Amino acid sequence: MSASEITPIDKVTLGRRGAMATIAMAAGIVVSYGTAAIYGLRFLFGRQKPPRMVQVLSAALTEVPDGGSRLAQDLSGRKFLLVRSGGNVSAFSTTCTHLGCQVHWKTEDKAFICPCHDAVFDANGNPVEGPPPIPLARYPVEVRGSNIFVSMPEA
Amino acid sequence: MADRILNWVSERIPFDWDNLKHFTSEPIPRHMHKWWFCLGGTPLYLFMIQLVSGIALTFYFVPDPSKAYESVRYITEEVPFGWWVRGIHRWSGELMVVSVILHMMRVFFTAAYRRPREINWLIGMALLITVFTFGFSGYSLIYNQVSYWATVVGTNMAAAVPFVGEYMAGYLRGGPVISANTLTRMYVLHIGVLPTAAFGLLALHIFLIRIHGVSEFIDTSHGESRDDEDRFFPFFPDHLLTEIAIGIFLIFLVSQLAIIFPVQIGEPANPAVTPEHIKPEWYFYPVFRWLKLFSFQTGIVSTIGIVMVMFAWPWVDASIERRFPGREVSVFIGIAAVVAMVVLVLIEGLSGH
């Protein structure tokens, strides 16, 4: 076929049959590439399974003064705070609830300071100053005999 | 003989070379003789330096959390001229940010984004975001304390974006927390995705400049007018020579900076302890300080809002111009924005924490 025999695109009349065929073809393309795109995106998103919780032997009950607190750490060096009130013990994460940095315990101020964006939390993990929206996260605690076990995400 | 070779070539590459002459003799307005207006070519040149030095660094860098820091130390301390190549990569990156900001300010204050050049402003903004993402992903690779915690803060910022945040953070981290997947992703982003995006955006940016022509800047206070015969000079060779001269100066400057201010490696990353004094790169200071000033959601949402207004600026400007014709309100807003940025950088830079 020579170039002069090709019908210009704006002169092509589609007809009902042709229109249906075009729509079916377009739908097929959208569905097949769409499916591939969804699989591809899921592949890239990866496995978003939260880390396993592990129980860490944190301290003996007698090591945390009644009405006071003690900074403990797991084997990877990650710190967390134990606060005791009678027989009740709470454990706070030291991960800042603003953008995830590790807060530091300042003994003289009795407060946690986040070095990233100047946040301050009191000894009970409540935000006192700066941008954090919520208190420090609490970890589940179990007191077995005279020992304190804290469940926290595996490092 | 020469004819036979030429014939051989033109048969295999059937291209009308006169077209190239037409392409390279683009008329350039005479204000482009001033260096201030050549800032668009500077990032392009720096991008090429980044590309060459970056490819060189990939020969030694290992994107694995237990080996990344050691491989950067090896490049810096043991590979011959490793410190120099790394210095060039780092310093050309810093200069890239500076030149892109200056180029953008020039475009802003000469209102070169106005109709019909709005799309090129959008592409320029996309390039600005690309450059910042290059910086962020680049320094996360070193796997020292600053880079590790910057990655933590950066991905958590992405997670805080309303509606799509968790997905964005998931894609960046490759899991629910920072892991080996995150480093691989940052690496692939830095050496694959971003360079490809930058190539495409640069090509579009230059293509649009070429078909629109460079906007003229006629300085009537110095007796210039649209009727002057010497309003233009050709791209080739005049402007190309200017760019080459700037390029040579840039290579010299980057090399000197790499020698005088050698890059450091810092402390290796420790996921258990955030250092007591931590700051990102200087070009993230405004956002860093901004986030300290406001509550969590306000800080994140306002940052996104500012970026969106920057993208939409040609249209925002057009609507301001309709309301207050001829008052150049945009110039004052621009000055206020630049002053605010400089103040935030200074406050953050000078504060101890």
Side-chain angles (χ1 to χ4, degrees):
Chain A
M1 190 194 276
S2 74
S4 58
E5 289 169 35
I6 298 172
T7 317
I9 193 79
D10 55 345
K11 296 279 191 310
V12 175
T13 45
L14 207 55
R16 183 183 295 176
R17 198 180 268 264
M20 295 296 275
T22 309
I23 290 168
M25 227 166 357
I29 289 170
V30 169
V31 169
S32 50
Y33 279 103
T35 311
I38 290 167
Y39 285 1
L41 286 173
R42 282 187 59 181
F43 169 79
L44 288 178
F45 194 52
R47 198 154 177 232
Q48 301 286 333
K49 203 175 147 195
R52 210 158 56 97
M53 296 297 273
V54 287
Q55 218 173 35
V56 179
L57 170 61
S58 314
L61 199 57
T62 49
E63 288 175 322
V64 188
D66 194 4
S69 61
R70 178 195 159 93
L71 206 58
Q73 63 179 44
D74 69 2
L75 287 175
S76 70
R78 205 165 26 152
K79 294 187 174 62
F80 53 96
L81 184 77
L82 298 170
V83 179
R84 182 180 164 196
S85 169
N88 285 333
V89 180
S90 313
F92 294 100
S93 152
T94 51
T95 301
C96 182
T97 49
H98 179 221
L99 289 168
C101 295
Q102 289 293 308
V103 296
H104 294 262
W105 174 250
K106 284 261 158 109
T107 316
E108 63 272 25
D109 301 331
K110 286 201 167 47
F112 291 102
I113 315 285
C114 179
C116 286
H117 297 92
D118 298 347
V120 183
F121 297 87
D122 67 17
N124 289 317
N126 295 312
V128 184
E129 257 181 71
I134 47 171
L136 294 173
R138 277 168 186 257
Y139 293 135
V141 177
E142 195 185 326
V143 180
R144 259 187 266 153
S146 60
N147 290 322
I148 304 167
F149 290 86
V150 175
S151 300
M152 52 198 300
E154 197 173 32
Chain B
M1 183 64 189
D3 276 353
R4 280 182 63 189
I5 294 172
L6 277 177
N7 280 338
W8 190 93
V9 172
S10 61
E11 203 181 321
R12 271 132 200 104
I13 310 171
F15 179 74
D16 182 359
W17 295 99
D18 284 341
N19 279 339
L20 193 67
K21 202 181 269 176
H22 171 71
F23 187 78
T24 56
S25 56
E26 180 192 358
I28 305 287
R30 64 180 159 193
H31 70 266
M32 292 283 283
H33 277 311
K34 296 172 186 144
W35 70 269
W36 177 241
F37 289 92
C38 297
L39 282 165
T42 307
L44 183 65
Y45 212 95
L46 289 168
F47 182 64
M48 290 190 272
I49 298 178
Q50 293 262 285
L51 210 65
V52 174
S53 57
I55 289 172
L57 290 171
T58 59
F59 283 91
Y60 292 102
F61 179 72
V62 187
D64 176 309
S66 59
K67 297 185 183 127
Y69 180 84
E70 172 53 27
S71 70
V72 175
R73 191 207 59 77
Y74 181 73
I75 290 169
T76 316
E77 292 175 3
E78 292 186 41
V79 180
F81 290 100
W83 60 273
W84 183 71
V85 175
R86 205 185 137 216
I88 282 190
H89 195 67
R90 162 73 188 267
W91 278 108
S92 54
E94 301 270 333
L95 289 186
M96 170 80 106
V97 175
V98 174
S99 62
V100 164
I101 292 173
L102 289 176
H103 171 57
M104 205 175 155
M105 279 168 60
R106 200 280 295 156
V107 169
F108 186 94
F109 287 113
T110 54
Y113 53 80
R114 283 183 183 166
R115 190 179 155 202
R117 294 183 173 82
E118 299 98 323
I119 293 176
N120 230 9
W121 171 267
L122 291 182
I123 296 169
M125 273 300 296
L127 276 165
L128 179 75
I129 305 283
T130 310
V131 165
F132 280 128
T133 320
F134 258 125
F136 174 70
S137 57
Y139 79 79
S140 76
L141 299 181
I142 303 167
Y143 229 69
N144 60 16
Q145 277 288 63
V146 172
S147 67
Y148 179 84
W149 292 103
T151 313
V152 171
V153 169
T155 50
N156 281 329
M157 272 178 74
V161 172
F163 310 115
V164 290
E166 276 306 323
Y167 288 101
M168 279 167 58
Y171 278 113
L172 277 174
R173 288 193 291 240
V177 289
I178 304 272
S179 64
N181 283 351
T182 318
L183 182 59
T184 316
R185 269 159 208 243
M186 291 294 166
Y187 186 59
V188 172
L189 207 65
H190 194 76
I191 71 155
V193 179
L194 291 172
T196 312
F199 252 127
L201 289 167
L202 276 170
L204 267 176
H205 205 57
I206 293 166
F207 172 72
L208 280 177
I209 293 167
R210 183 68 187 84
I211 56 173
H212 276 303
V214 176
S215 62
E216 266 190 88
F217 186 74
I218 294 165
D219 189 358
T220 46
S221 63
H222 283 79
E224 292 178 4
S225 89
R226 275 188 193 282
D227 303 324
D228 293 345
E229 275 184 12
D230 59 347
R231 271 163 59 206
F232 295 103
F233 62 92
F235 175 83
F236 183 83
D238 298 37
H239 189 63
L240 193 67
L241 286 175
T242 313
E243 290 289 350
I244 289 173
I246 291 174
I248 291 170
F249 169 72
L250 282 172
I251 290 184
F252 168 76
L253 180 66
V254 166
S255 183
Q256 290 303 307
L257 286 167
I259 294 166
I260 299 167
F261 305 103
V263 281
Q264 309 293 320
I265 23 181
E267 292 289 309
N270 179 359
V273 181
T274 308
E276 220 158 305
H277 299 288
I278 187 161
K279 280 183 199 297
E281 290 295 308
W282 63 270
Y283 43 86
F284 289 123
Y285 279 7
V287 180
F288 193 67
R289 180 48 70 164
W290 189 259
L291 288 173
K292 286 182 184 177
L293 294 176
F294 299 99
S295 71
F296 190 37
Q297 283 297 336
T298 316
I300 302 281
V301 172
S302 57
T303 306
I304 298 169
I306 290 168
V307 174
M308 282 168 73
V309 170
M310 283 168 76
F311 264 102
W313 191 256
W315 293 278
V316 176
D317 169 68
S319 110
I320 296 174
E321 189 60 26
R322 267 196 303 277
R323 213 155 290 177
F324 308 100
R327 300 255 189 93
E328 298 298 345
V329 179
S330 289
V331 174
F332 294 103
I333 295 176
I335 291 170
V338 171
V339 169
M341 289 286 171
V342 172
V343 167
L344 287 171
V345 168
L346 287 178
I347 292 176
E348 189 54 53
L350 297 174
S351 81
H353 54 83

